Amino acid sequence: MQLMRPDLAMKDAFAEFTRDWETHNEPIAPVSARLDGRTYETWLEDTWRLETQPRGNYVPADTWFWFDESGRMAGMITLRHTLNDFLLRVGGHIGYGVRPSMRRRGHATAMLAAVLPRARELGLTRVLVSCHKENIASAGTIRKNGGVLENEIVEDGRVVQRYWIAL
């Protein structure tokens, strides 16, 4: 299993990943994986640009696809280099998602663990990772990677748990 920076050759793997979410009638996670009307090529350019030249309220961020041992795209993870007010409140440094048909196999835990050294390379000493309170699996993933619950807040009528992971 490994993290790979998205590129043009991964278009079909990404399409399969997004179809899985649609088949299970779930919104794609992380939010950064949503095409929002863009082509894969435009999404990819925007994703690459975000690494060094964020626009608007966005912060610099790196994105990776997570492939399992058979070469299937199992998930996606984004590491934000800094936090703005919104990210400090609810979004955090890291957002990730595992496609519905490949859950409960340890992908989220391994993917998060693989990204933490990269956060350390950026000079971060701790990272904020959040999840909705009802997402028990994500809370478990965060705790398995050293996450300590700081607090819970209500955002848009849902309880968000905010965890810090020391690096």
Side-chain angles (χ1 to χ4, degrees), residues 53-157:
Q53 301 168 359
R55 295 181 178 158
N57 293 328
Y58 289 88
V59 299
D62 296 317
T63 297
W64 297 274
F65 292 165
W66 180 255
F67 288 87
D68 72 3
E69 53 281 336
S70 71
R72 290 182 67 208
M73 184 177 166
M76 183 177 138
I77 190 163
T78 299
L79 169 63
R80 299 172 193 101
H81 302 187
T82 60
L83 298 176
N84 58 24
D85 290 340
F86 173 77
L87 295 173
L88 180 60
R89 180 169 162 72
V90 293
H93 285 97
I94 299 171
Y96 58 87
V98 173
R99 63 194 284 173
S101 67
M102 297 181 77
R103 292 183 182 148
R104 302 190 59 83
R105 300 180 194 175
H107 290 299
T109 300
M111 187 169 47
L112 180 55
V115 124
L116 295 177
R118 296 172 192 252
R120 200 174 301 113
E121 289 170 7
L122 291 173
L124 299 173
T125 57
R126 65 184 191 147
V127 291
L128 177 64
V129 187
S130 65
C131 66
H132 290 110
K133 186 171 184 170
E134 69 270 12
N135 192 342
I136 296 166
S138 190
T141 291
I142 297 165
R143 286 192 304 272
K144 286 177 191 171
N145 277 283
V148 176
L149 181 65
E150 179 180 65
N151 63 359
E152 297 179 345
I153 62 166
V154 176
E155 180 73 18
D156 294 331

Side-chain angles (χ1 to χ4, degrees), residues 13-68:
F14 183 81
E16 181 187 345
F17 173 79
T18 58
R19 274 193 306 274
D20 196 336
W21 293 88
E22 293 166 3
T23 299
H24 287 84
N25 199 29
E26 290 186 38
I28 297 172
V31 172
S32 57
R34 297 176 187 168
L35 293 178
D36 293 329
R38 297 172 289 181
T39 64
Y40 176 78
E41 291 80 6
T42 301
W43 172 87
L44 184 61
E45 289 174 15
D46 292 345
T47 299
W48 287 344
R49 187 178 308 110
L50 195 57
E51 294 173 357
T52 58
Q53 301 168 359
R55 295 181 178 158
N57 293 328
Y58 289 88
V59 299
D62 296 317
T63 297
W64 297 274
F65 292 165
W66 180 255
F67 288 87
D68 72 3

